[in-house]
């Protein structure tokens, strides 16, 4: 599963099936920094209770920064480079969201006409580009529309100080 966006893999044998699942656990170490990190996007990315807790989208962004799983690029440019028709490209632009690698891969195969290996590569890249674009948007929101490398470095430093991301492995075995 290394260098893929797969979070689980299954192995079947004659008497059963084993599934290994990796998961990122994002926990706040210094939740008081969440407001500084996300600024104006804070209410959209943090569930506020008696304790501050990142919602699913906030956790995805924090895990992407923590794991350095982001890269610059354009989903539109990638989709436009595919050899499918314009209708398929428009559909892909709506459906590819970087939240679920398997779903994005299946859409690239089904709608974009890619083979499985190419779809995996594109889904991986698209997930990292989407993460980068979300990070960049948050930084711009909090810096009067301006993105800078210094602001990004401070954002990453704050994320790494505010949360701890633990990757865990879960194995399930099913007997047939």
């Amino acid at each position: 599963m290394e260098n893929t966006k797969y979070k689980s893999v299954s192995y079947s044998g004659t008497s059963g099936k084993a599934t290994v699942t990796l998961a990122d656990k994002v926990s706040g170490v210094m939740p008081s920094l969440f407001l500084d990190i996300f600024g104006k996007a804070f209410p959209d990315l943090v569930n506020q209770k008696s304790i501050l807790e990142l919602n699913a989208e906030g956790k995805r962004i924090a895990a992407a920064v923590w794991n350095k799983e982001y890269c610059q690029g354009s989903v539109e440019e990638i989709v436009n480079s595919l050899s499918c028709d314009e209708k398929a490209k428009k559909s892909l632009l709506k459906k590819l969201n970087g939240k679920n690698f398997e779903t994005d891969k299946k859409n690239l195969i089904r709608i974009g006409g890619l083979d499985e290996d190419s779809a995996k590569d594109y889904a991986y890249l698209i997930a990292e580009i989407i993460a980068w674009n979300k990070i960049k948007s948050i930084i711009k929101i909090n810096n009067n529309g301006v993105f800078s490398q210094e602001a990004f470095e401070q954002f990453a430093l704050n994320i790494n100080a505010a949360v701890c991301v633990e990757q865990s492995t879960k194995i399930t075995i099913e007997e047939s």
Side-chain angles (χ1 to χ4, degrees):
M1 291 188 287
E2 190 174 325
N3 293 325
T4 73
K5 290 292 179 188
Y6 280 117
K7 296 294 183 184
S8 67
V9 63
S10 295
Y11 300 96
S12 296
T14 55
S15 62
K17 175 179 163 184
T19 302
V20 177
T21 304
L22 299 177
D24 288 336
K25 180 183 177 191
V26 177
S27 54
V29 175
M30 294 180 62
S32 58
L33 288 176
F34 291 167
L35 183 58
D36 290 338
I37 292 167
F38 295 109
K40 294 176 185 171
F42 176 84
D44 298 324
L45 301 171
V46 178
N47 292 325
Q48 198 167 1
K49 301 175 187 174
S50 59
I51 59 167
L52 297 177
E53 179 179 273
L54 293 173
N55 64 20
E57 188 65 21
K59 287 178 183 178
R60 270 192 292 279
I61 292 168
V65 172
W66 181 275
N67 293 319
K68 294 181 174 60
E69 293 178 340
Y70 50 83
C71 71
Q72 295 183 34
S74 165
V75 175
E76 291 80 13
E77 285 179 16
I78 290 172
V79 170
N80 285 332
S81 73
L82 299 177
S83 58
C84 55
D85 63 33
E86 289 304 312
K87 183 179 175 185
K89 289 177 184 179
K90 284 183 183 178
S91 180
L92 283 170
L93 285 172
K94 289 179 185 175
K95 293 184 179 280
L96 299 173
N97 59 31
K99 291 180 182 177
N100 185 309
F101 173 77
E102 191 64 34
T103 301
D104 285 349
K105 182 191 82 164
K106 286 178 181 176
N107 283 328
L108 285 162
I109 292 169
R110 187 175 51 82
I111 300 168
L114 298 175
D115 62 81
E116 185 158 352
D117 286 340
S118 295
K120 287 179 196 177
D121 291 343
Y122 278 109
Y124 181 92
L125 183 59
I126 286 168
E128 293 209 350
I129 289 170
I130 289 170
W132 172 254
N133 289 333
K134 288 179 182 178
I135 293 164
K136 193 172 175 181
S137 293
I138 292 166
I139 292 169
K140 287 172 111 177
I141 286 168
N142 295 311
N143 291 287
N144 299 317
V146 177
F147 175 85
S148 69
Q149 187 61 32
E150 300 84 58
F152 168 72
E153 289 170 6
Q154 187 62 54
F155 181 81
L157 185 67
N158 288 346
I159 287 277
N160 291 329
V163 302
C164 175
V165 177
E166 300 173 20
Q167 291 188 331
S168 62
T169 303
K170 176 181 154 187
I171 299 174
T172 58
I173 298 176
E174 302 170 22
E175 292 188 34
S176 32

